[in-house]
Amino acid sequence: MQIQTEATGRWQLAPENLAATTFPEHADAAVADSAEIIEQQTEYQPSFTGTGKEYFRIWIVNLCLSLATLGIYSAWAKVRRLKYFDRNTQLNGAAFNFHGDPMTIFRGRIIAVLLLFCYHYLFTFSKALALSLFAIFLLGVPWMMRSALRFRLRNTSYMGLRCQFHGTLAGAYATYLPVGLVVLLPGLLGVLIPHKPGIMVFAFIPYLSWPWLHARMRMYQHNGLAVAGIKSSCSLTKGSFFLSYFIIGLSLLIFVMLVGMGTAIFFASFKNHAAESYRIFMEAYSWVLIPAGFLVVLLAYAIFLSGSTLLQVKIWNKSWNATRFPRVEIDSHLPYKAYYFLQLKNLFLTLLTLGLYRPFAVVNVYRFRLQHVSLKAVGLEQLLAMQHAQVAQAGKSGQVGQASGDSSADLFGFDLSW
Amino acid sequence: MIQAHYFDHRQAMLHKVVLHFQASGISLTGEGIDRQVDKNQMQLEEPFQDAPCILNFADGSHCEIYAQADKQNLLTHLGYSPSTIQRWQHKWQAALLAIIVMAGIVFSGYKWGMPVLADKIASFVPVSYERALGSEIINLLDQVLLKPSKLDDRTIAQAEQLIRRLRPEDSAVPIHLEVRDAPEIGANAFALPGGTVVVTDQLVTLIVGNSGNQLTNALADELSGVLAHEIGHIQNRHAMRRLVHKGLVTVAMGSLFGDFSSVAALAPAALVGQEYSREMEIEADTYAIAALTEKGISPKHLANVLEDMSKRRKRSGVEATPKWLRTVYGYASSHPATEERIARFREVAAAMEQK
């Protein structure tokens, strides 16, 4: 209940110059009738109409053309892919759509390749260069992350409305600057204080703050979503992911250590105590080691996947359950076991088909995730209709740009993700 | 007559409308909606099998058409013609053809495109960068694999004398010798970017034996043979070319499989785990033969060392087994069989003696 009032308060504060006659009435009504409203809530289930078969052909043609054009086409391929997924996603009788300009993505890609090239080849070149690249990355990445989020959302539409991302630039820096610092620190220290493995161990210590950093990234993202003027709020806290990370991370660490130690002890004792039979064994059966090693790696990966999937599921559910729009609640209930077996199946089939199963896997996971998320709202139709009319009205008074014709997103847009 | 969902983009409200085809375009009729849209005021988005068809109008509004029969009807009436790429996507055979085309592109790119491109890029790398990289690598190797040489100063001085005699005047980089103790590597020699040739104590010991022989005459010629081969690598900039090539392959793989973070992780491996291609080894051998002949040294000496080295490797192959991986995978690598190389040197040497 606390969340609801807080969210309503935000909602009320944000568009100050709105026509005062219509807006507060609705807000008051929302608070007053809240008890009744919960009973009248309808559940809206998104659905996905895409198929692995159809996406396979899109994917393979995309891949082929991207290869043939040395990656240039990949920007156009991305638009095609996002259009396929968005347009096949339906909610309450309307489909989503994606309107991104491939040129914007292409521009982002050139910058990404240049930055990665610098990081890859120039970072270790000299201390001065490493420091300046470090500064460029640190200052650039938060801006780019925000731009990418804005690009993705502003180019996504639903019922003719554009989505929005309204996370602030200051928020982006507060969120991603520490992340950049933690990720880049080991590399920087390696260049500034070379040949000191002791210090390098310390350089990785800040990674322990990852559960908090991850939660803060999710908070920044989920607090900034909007469909037209309906803004999201997110009740995650910085410590929300700590327990999941702690338990799962610790068990995985112990597992990895046990396997590593076991293998080492096995080989070492075999070699020391029975040097002769070890030699004979190696000469006769060294060919067995490849398939056997492959199986062991696969098994270890399956166990590792069980941990990482659990973490993924926990964080996914927590993040979406904590996110709500005024008078709209999100219910995410991704089931762990079924999701894990789906991922395992995808992994094996992808390996078995040398990657050709990948588009089927992507569609399976996307559909599965959509199946386990739903919206709960009272009269979603009326809410959306009312909201958009107000934004359009505000747009006329010059305060908020009209959502449907927002080309500034493309002008200043910047997209990084693959 | 087609059922559609109409969105006017002023209000996020679903209007159920009926589309009628007319000579000039279409008409939309529904509750409170009655509009005519001209043919050139609308545009149909790429149709997908089960997704709704999207008909965009010039004023920003759009229609979504859901029923399969309606979609088909609409496409026919608007005379929609798919683009080449869309037609390609629609046919299974054509999509499968894409796999073959891709395999062809990947194979030829890897086989012919990459090496040529790598050589081009490597030729643009300034010598100063190559030297800085070389010293970076030797520093790294000194920490993890190499130890200071245990040989006496005179032997090292003799070895340095040999490389001074062999190195060409016109070399782009200053060629110099580093001798190191390397129990883990064994008897070997390798060339780093920037002109450094590293020879292990174990190789020198293999050549001179343990009884305190001097590095002179035939023994000196044997080491000279190895050095000439390594100088061949340097003169052809093999280290840099190989490095750029590996980098290109890694970047290509990374972008193909979408995981760019792995690129950064693979960088150190690419720096240290260098192996030259078959062509490069042959090129270095050709250089060595020419250089040795010029100094009046028979290539048979190089054949002798190679033979000793491969014998030694076979004997110690099992002992060096934390690298059991290497025994498994290593022999499937790109090296021309040592026997082939030895035979080549012997052949040239025999031809020279006959003259």
Side-chain angles (χ1 to χ4, degrees):
Chain A
M1 208 55 247
Q2 209 179 0
I3 306 155
Q4 172 140 11
T5 35
E6 188 197 312
T8 320
R10 280 170 55 97
W11 189 43
Q12 207 167 358
L13 278 176
E16 285 152 317
N17 298 347
L18 289 178
T21 46
T22 52
F23 192 76
E25 278 172 19
H26 287 286
D28 287 345
V31 176
D33 300 343
S34 54
E36 197 188 333
I37 277 164
I38 286 163
E39 280 160 32
Q40 294 170 354
Q41 271 183 348
T42 322
E43 190 164 340
Y44 298 90
Q45 176 70 51
S47 62
F48 184 66
T49 51
T51 59
K53 272 187 199 167
E54 192 183 12
Y55 180 56
F56 173 81
R57 296 186 308 235
I58 294 175
W59 176 81
I60 197 93
V61 170
N62 273 344
L63 201 60
C64 188
L65 288 173
S66 297
L67 257 180
T69 56
L70 296 174
I72 293 170
Y73 184 78
S74 72
W76 280 260
K78 182 181 174 172
V79 170
R80 201 168 270 275
R81 169 169 58 88
L82 290 178
K83 263 191 181 293
Y84 184 75
F85 279 93
D86 281 4
R87 281 187 43 202
N88 274 298
T89 306
Q90 290 169 25
L91 179 70
N92 200 26
F96 287 81
N97 201 351
F98 182 74
H99 310 267
D101 176 15
M103 275 313 284
T104 310
I105 297 173
F106 183 58
R107 211 167 45 204
R109 252 158 223 217
I110 290 178
I111 295 174
V113 166
L114 284 178
L115 283 179
L116 278 166
F117 177 82
C118 289
Y119 184 69
H120 190 46
Y121 290 100
L122 302 182
F123 202 66
T124 52
F125 194 58
S126 80
K127 289 182 183 181
L129 207 55
L131 269 176
S132 31
L133 275 175
F134 179 72
I136 291 173
F137 269 101
L138 221 50
L139 293 177
V141 164
W143 179 84
M144 286 189 276
M145 294 307 269
R146 176 171 175 261
S147 301
L149 280 166
R150 273 155 65 113
F151 178 80
R152 178 70 176 96
L153 279 157
R154 286 191 177 189
N155 284 304
T156 303
S157 73
Y158 174 65
M159 292 182 110
L161 305 176
R162 291 294 179 107
C163 297
Q164 303 280 331
F165 182 75
H166 56 84
T168 60
L169 195 58
Y173 275 96
T175 308
Y176 291 103
L177 213 59
V179 177
L181 208 60
V182 166
V183 172
L184 292 173
L185 192 68
L188 183 73
L189 281 186
V191 176
L192 292 186
I193 320 168
H195 320 317
K196 290 253 170 58
I199 290 179
M200 289 311 287
V201 174
F202 287 108
F204 283 99
I205 286 179
Y207 265 103
L208 291 177
S209 64
W210 195 256
W212 289 274
L213 294 178
H214 194 179
R216 292 188 63 210
M217 283 192 272
R218 281 293 196 164
M219 281 158 72
Y220 177 68
Q221 292 161 8
H222 287 238
N223 253 321
L225 311 173
V227 183
I230 315 177
K231 294 179 179 180
S232 69
S233 61
C234 177
S235 63
L236 281 178
T237 61
K238 278 178 271 183
S240 289
F241 299 163
F242 173 72
L243 213 59
S244 312
Y245 261 105
F246 184 72
I247 295 169
I248 297 165
L250 200 67
S251 359
L252 280 182
L253 197 70
I254 290 171
F255 166 72
V256 168
M257 276 165 68
L258 282 179
V259 168
M261 265 160 54
T263 327
I265 290 170
F266 173 74
F267 273 98
S269 64
F270 197 17
K271 196 175 153 189
N272 291 339
H273 294 288
E276 187 57 23
S277 54
Y278 177 75
R279 195 181 62 80
I280 293 166
F281 174 80
M282 275 306 188
E283 277 177 3
Y285 295 110
S286 57
W287 60 271
V288 181
L289 287 173
I290 299 178
F294 187 68
L295 274 181
V296 168
V297 167
L298 224 55
L299 192 69
Y301 194 78
I303 296 174
F304 187 80
L305 191 71
S306 72
S308 61
T309 311
L310 183 59
L311 194 63
Q312 225 183 345
V313 165
K314 289 247 173 215
I315 284 173
W316 173 267
N317 282 340
K318 271 187 184 169
S319 308
W320 284 110
N321 282 328
T323 308
R324 65 187 319 289
F325 293 89
R327 295 205 286 162
V328 182
E329 274 165 38
I330 298 171
D331 179 27
S332 171
H333 43 271
L334 203 59
Y336 168 61
K337 220 167 110 188
Y339 189 65
Y340 171 62
F341 283 118
L342 180 70
Q343 293 280 28
L344 205 60
K345 183 186 102 183
N346 284 343
L347 172 74
F348 278 96
L349 286 177
T350 306
L351 282 177
L352 220 62
T353 55
L354 300 173
L356 289 179
Y357 187 74
R358 175 122 182 96
F360 295 89
V362 171
V363 164
N364 286 346
V365 168
Y366 185 86
R367 178 183 297 116
F368 193 83
R369 286 187 172 194
L370 267 191
Q371 272 166 357
H372 294 93
V373 72
S374 63
L375 298 184
K376 283 184 182 140
V378 187
L380 190 64
E381 302 84 357
Q382 291 93 312
L383 179 68
L384 281 168
M386 181 184 81
Q387 220 22 55
H388 189 46
Q390 280 165 359
V391 170
Q393 214 171 346
K396 273 177 212 152
S397 65
Q399 202 214 6
V400 188
Q402 178 139 10
S404 53
D406 197 348
S407 61
S408 70
D410 272 2
L411 253 174
F412 302 107
F414 180 83
D415 182 59
L416 258 183
S417 63
W418 250 248
Chain B
M1 195 185 85
I2 285 172
Q3 309 284 341
H5 293 178
Y6 172 68
F7 301 93
D8 64 10
H9 285 227
R10 279 190 296 274
Q11 229 179 353
M13 202 178 271
L14 192 162
H15 300 277
K16 294 207 162 153
V17 295
V18 175
L19 305 186
H20 285 281
F21 296 105
Q22 291 165 342
S24 62
I26 54 171
S27 72
L28 281 70
T29 43
E31 217 182 295
I33 290 161
D34 189 14
R35 69 177 283 200
Q36 313 281 323
V37 185
D38 198 66
K39 245 182 197 153
N40 50 28
Q41 295 288 300
M42 61 182 134
Q43 176 247 332
L44 191 68
E45 285 201 30
E46 174 183 351
F48 295 125
Q49 194 183 312
D50 295 316
C53 264
I54 293 192
L55 188 61
N56 288 316
F57 303 128
D59 66 345
S61 55
H62 79 277
C63 274
E64 293 174 7
I65 295 98
Y66 282 80
Q68 287 297 354
D70 285 348
K71 279 161 68 175
Q72 206 45 56
N73 204 348
L74 183 73
L75 291 180
T76 337
H77 264 93
L78 294 180
Y80 180 78
S81 73
S83 71
T84 320
I85 291 175
Q86 285 165 33
R87 267 192 300 245
W88 187 3
Q89 278 168 185
H90 282 297
K91 285 203 195 87
W92 268 101
Q93 302 93 312
L96 289 173
L97 183 74
I99 300 177
I100 299 164
V101 171
M102 257 187 321
I105 293 173
V106 169
F107 178 77
S108 49
Y110 183 77
K111 188 99 201 307
W112 300 294
M114 284 282 195
V116 172
L117 189 64
D119 289 357
K120 265 259 146 44
I121 295 174
S123 70
F124 283 112
V125 175
V127 172
S128 59
Y129 177 76
E130 194 177 329
R131 292 183 62 184
L133 192 66
S135 65
E136 188 84 22
I137 294 175
I138 186 93
N139 280 339
L140 190 69
L141 289 175
D142 275 339
Q143 282 173 59
V144 293
L145 273 176
L146 305 177
K147 293 177 186 137
S149 173
K150 293 196 179 87
L151 297 175
D152 57 284
D153 292 345
R154 198 177 51 183
T155 313
I156 293 177
Q158 282 166 341
E160 279 168 352
Q161 184 60 40
L162 293 178
I163 203 166
R164 270 198 291 276
R165 207 181 114 202
L166 276 171
R167 75 181 164 206
E169 303 288 326
D170 60 342
S171 177
V173 289
I175 295 172
H176 63 280
L177 181 72
E178 299 283 347
V179 186
R180 293 285 193 281
D181 180 30
E184 284 174 55
I185 299 177
N188 217 330
F190 45 92
L192 298 178
T196 309
V197 176
V198 180
V199 169
T200 65
D201 282 8
Q202 286 71 14
L203 177 66
V204 179
T205 317
L206 178 78
I207 291 171
V208 299
N210 285 321
S211 45
N213 287 327
Q214 297 279 312
L215 198 51
T216 48
N217 303 329
L219 301 182
D221 288 348
E222 288 192 354
L223 186 58
S224 292
V226 175
L227 293 176
H229 173 85
E230 297 307 327
I231 293 174
H233 281 312
I234 292 173
Q235 284 299 88
N236 290 302
R237 292 193 94 187
H238 284 165
M240 205 62 223
R241 277 158 64 184
R242 189 78 189 131
L243 203 62
V244 175
H245 184 249
K246 272 218 160 156
L248 277 181
V249 171
T250 326
V251 168
M253 289 295 185
S255 33
L256 259 186
F257 300 109
D259 186 6
F260 236 108
S261 60
S262 61
V263 177
L266 280 170
L271 287 180
V272 183
Q274 278 222 53
E275 242 175 40
Y276 293 118
S277 70
R278 197 188 170 81
E279 286 73 23
M280 285 179 175
E281 290 296 339
I282 291 171
E283 214 173 17
D285 281 346
T286 310
Y287 178 90
I289 290 170
L292 290 174
T293 320
E294 196 192 313
K295 303 284 179 208
I297 302 170
S298 167
K300 76 177 178 200
H301 296 293
L302 183 45
N304 291 342
V305 203
L306 278 177
E307 212 161 44
D308 288 348
M309 281 166 78
S310 83
K311 265 187 216 152
R312 167 72 61 94
R313 213 174 291 148
K314 268 177 201 155
R315 241 184 302 136
S316 66
V318 180
E319 270 141 46
T321 332
K323 299 159 196 151
W324 57 270
L325 269 172
R326 181 184 289 187
T327 39
V328 176
Y329 298 111
Y331 291 120
S333 75
S334 57
H335 268 269
T338 315
E339 288 75 31
E340 242 173 73
R341 296 178 57 199
I342 293 170
R344 179 181 176 201
F345 292 131
R346 291 222 190 285
E347 220 170 274
V348 176
M352 276 166 63
E353 270 163 37
Q354 273 181 1
K355 271 182 202 168

